[in-house]
Amino acid sequence: MEKPPFNPYVAVVIGVLSVSTAAVLVKLAESAPASIIANYRLLFAVLIMAPYVLTKHLHEFKSITKRDWMLASISGVFLAFHFILWFESLNYTSVASSVVLVTLQPIFAFLGTFIFFKEKFTIGAILSMTIALTGSVIISWGDFQISGLALWGDILALFGAIMVTGYFLLGQNVRKRLHLMTYTFVVYGISSLTLILYNVFLQQPFTGYPADHWWVFLALAIIPTFFGHTLFNWALKWVSTSTISMSIVFEPVGASILAYFILGEMITWSQWLGGSIVILGLSLFIISTTKKHKPKITHSTEM
């Protein structure tokens, strides 16, 4: 196997730290609507990718079938609404609660494969899903004790997890036939167009935001997207998918620490307890499903 230019495990650590910044960055752009933040994150990512994709992979666009264009388009719409729901959840609940609940995506993906592809459950998968979902209930109950708005934020985060699950389930088949950069460029482009139309329909202002917000939009396109998920995909050449999946489980830990130091967000007892149980459940879930088949990396923008 080709020798990596640097230690791939270092890339995984950098990736986890990078994706952990997403929620905090969204919180810093407090005067911009969630859909505008999502809009510029994806739009800037597409513009950054365009020179490389259009010079190195332009020929691949000719081979994309109508069916793949349709699947990629629907996948992009799901991704757009994932960001709208997740970013909106951060207006109501804490970084800790929101990121932990969005991280439940692997469980929703497994449930999706059960419903649509008749994937069989193992006892280990059922027990670990039960543990993780119990943790989410503890978080939501604790947030409800604080305020109904915090619980609404938790619900939005869960729906955001469901939307990103749809994005992965619809897009994974298309991804097999296209280069990663081409596929990502197409889906991000469609998702960005969806968000533009969404914001036009809601008459959200595209300009007039403070200068520091534009830096946040750009940072979202670069740090969690390219230094996060692109590094994960690069590391997959030398590191197992189970290692990548396990590392992403700890994104809520990094996000909560950053939120504490940058935003001054305290972590409640229910978030500590529920978050720890969710991480335990997700870890056991990944371990139990790894024995059956190699899991696919379950983040790409995301988050």
Side-chain angles (χ1 to χ4, degrees):
M1 181 181 288
E2 178 188 347
K3 186 178 179 181
F6 65 96
N7 192 325
Y9 289 97
V10 173
V12 172
V13 172
I14 294 172
V16 172
L17 293 174
S18 297
V19 297
S20 298
T21 64
V24 173
L25 286 170
V26 171
K27 285 265 193 178
L28 290 174
E30 57 186 0
S31 40
S35 56
I36 287 291
I37 301 172
N39 189 149
Y40 283 118
R41 172 179 177 169
L42 285 168
L43 179 60
F44 286 167
V46 168
L47 293 175
I48 292 168
M49 294 172 67
Y52 176 80
V53 174
L54 297 179
T55 54
K56 298 290 185 180
H57 300 282
L58 184 61
H59 62 281
E60 289 189 33
F61 286 84
K62 298 178 182 178
S63 62
I64 303 176
T65 65
K66 289 183 179 179
R67 182 176 181 274
D68 284 349
W69 273 113
M70 181 186 70
L71 289 173
S73 298
I74 300 172
S75 180
V77 172
F78 271 98
L79 180 62
F81 281 94
H82 155 68
F83 279 128
I84 291 171
L85 290 164
W86 179 37
F87 289 0
E88 188 67 32
S89 78
L90 290 162
N91 289 324
Y92 300 98
T93 192
S94 67
V95 166
S97 293
S98 179
V99 177
V100 166
L101 294 171
V102 166
T103 307
L104 287 169
Q105 181 270 324
I107 288 179
F108 289 117
F110 202 76
L111 290 170
T113 59
F114 169 74
I115 295 170
F116 297 107
F117 306 112
K118 308 303 179 185
E119 182 81 49
K120 293 182 179 179
F121 287 103
T122 63
I123 296 298
I126 293 172
L127 289 174
S128 56
M129 282 192 292
T130 303
I131 292 170
L133 292 173
T134 299
S136 70
V137 170
I138 292 172
I139 292 172
S140 298
W141 175 253
D143 285 351
F144 179 68
Q145 300 298 102
I146 297 173
S147 76
L149 286 178
L151 178 61
W152 175 239
D154 294 347
I155 293 170
L156 289 173
L158 283 171
F159 276 105
I162 293 171
M163 286 293 166
V164 79
T165 300
Y167 156 67
F168 287 121
L169 291 178
L170 286 164
Q172 65 182 1
N173 191 259
V174 182
R175 168 68 186 89
K176 294 175 184 177
R177 292 184 289 278
L178 295 177
H179 186 277
L180 173 66
M181 291 296 286
T182 305
Y183 168 73
T184 304
F185 182 77
V186 168
V187 175
Y188 281 15
I190 292 168
S191 190
S192 179
L193 178 60
T194 302
L195 286 161
I196 290 171
L197 294 174
Y198 179 89
N199 284 310
V200 168
F201 178 77
L202 292 184
Q203 297 184 333
Q204 301 282 25
F206 285 90
T207 58
Y209 301 106
D212 62 333
H213 279 36
W214 293 97
W215 287 110
V216 169
F217 300 155
L218 183 61
L220 278 166
I222 295 173
I223 300 173
T225 306
F226 295 113
F227 283 100
H229 303 297
T230 301
L231 275 181
F232 285 143
N233 283 298
W234 174 84
L236 275 172
K237 188 171 183 179
W238 296 279
V239 178
S240 69
T241 51
S242 57
T243 299
I244 300 284
S245 298
M246 284 295 294
S247 67
I248 293 173
V249 166
F250 294 95
E251 177 187 347
V253 177
S256 298
I257 292 171
L258 288 174
Y260 174 77
F261 285 105
I262 297 174
L263 304 174
E265 285 193 1
M266 304 300 292
I267 301 178
T268 65
W269 70 268
S270 61
Q271 290 167 343
W272 273 112
L273 178 60
S276 299
I277 292 173
V278 168
I279 290 172
L280 172 63
L282 283 172
S283 300
L284 293 173
F285 174 78
I286 291 167
I287 292 169
S288 65
T289 53
T290 299
K291 294 177 182 177
K292 188 174 181 182
H293 52 74
K294 292 182 180 180
K296 294 179 172 60
I297 185 168
T298 53
H299 291 63
S300 79
T301 67
E302 110 294 326
M303 304 217 162

